[in-house]
Amino acid sequence: MEIDEQYMWRCLELAQYGRFDVAPNPMVGSVLVYKDKIIGEGYHRRCGEGHAEVNAIASVKNEELLRQATMYVSLEPCSHYGKTPPCVELILSKGIPRVVVACLDPFVKVAGRGVKRLREAGVEVVTGVLEKEAQKLNVLFMTAHTHQRPYVLLKWAQSVDGFMDGYRKDKSTKPIQLSNTIRLQYNHRKRAEFQAIMVGTNTVLLDNPSLINRWWKGQPPLRITMDFKNRLMPSLHLLDGLYPTLIFSFTKEQVSQNLTYVKIKETAPILPQVLATLYEKGINSLIVEGGSKLLNSFIDAGLWDECQVERASVQLKKGVASPDIEKVAETFKCVEINRYGTSHALKYYK
């Protein structure tokens, strides 16, 4: 088992190279070993391209060795046709006799079928090697397909005395900047890691945000907001058509260049409809950045998985109160992330 763990750690290391490019697919790494020597390795580089197993096999110079090799892979090999052929059939065609898997794939089209197919074909399959570590690496993917909704990260910055911003009557008053440069770069990295980002209508009207990751490489997230009273003007950044944007409405259902209106029911709870729609569209991860009303609605509904709060040393004394995460204290555990100059960030998990 120690030898299996050694090679599985390498799989997990390889998998992380695809962090910013594989969504909505999971990060996966694979290693091929012959007589205690690595003869091939690969990882899933980009959604729509070859999976980790395909790339690992392609890297092997002498394919004859595969018939006596062990394949290590951080996620159960797929058994269905998607954007690429099933990896299980490739493994069988190469005659690989032993496969070691970290964790099973919760996606309904796989969900144990890959392992079952291999075993039925006579392949020795070992599962559960570094299982928790592999699940943690792909917690966004795992959560989405386990709960049929995106993994939800709530995120905001607040003053030391608990305010997100000062009082502002209109957009002519600029918001108070609570995050420092290092933390802003971290926030934009998160945007590159997640598939979607959401803010409330008032935030759009007051701040006119772009919601892109201009300080970090990678694909910008899908921009999401709501417009139930038809208050959003075409001049706003979210409606500029430069990046994909989704707006939930009670009345509109239309699609134009990079701008989609989705109609939901006014008589049903809003957030479950929003999350169900996103999951149906293949969105596995969502950042919610505000404002306070929207963040509190996610907290009250229990529809969140992680919360990151940056606490700056500045005092505002009055203004917009930050969300009250402490009111659901019995449902989470809190750990400090890091200090950034005079501010620090706390991370909460349900």
Side-chain angles (χ1 to χ4, degrees), residues 308-322:
Q308 292 188 17
V309 182
E310 180 186 357
R311 293 182 176 174
S313 60
V314 63
Q315 286 194 13
L316 296 182
K317 297 183 180 180
K318 61 180 181 179
V320 180
S322 62

Side-chain angles (χ1 to χ4, degrees), residues 252-256 259-263:
K252 292 184 180 180
E253 186 92 50
Q254 63 186 54
V255 179
S256 58
L259 183 60
T260 301
Y261 280 86
V262 175
K263 185 178 178 180

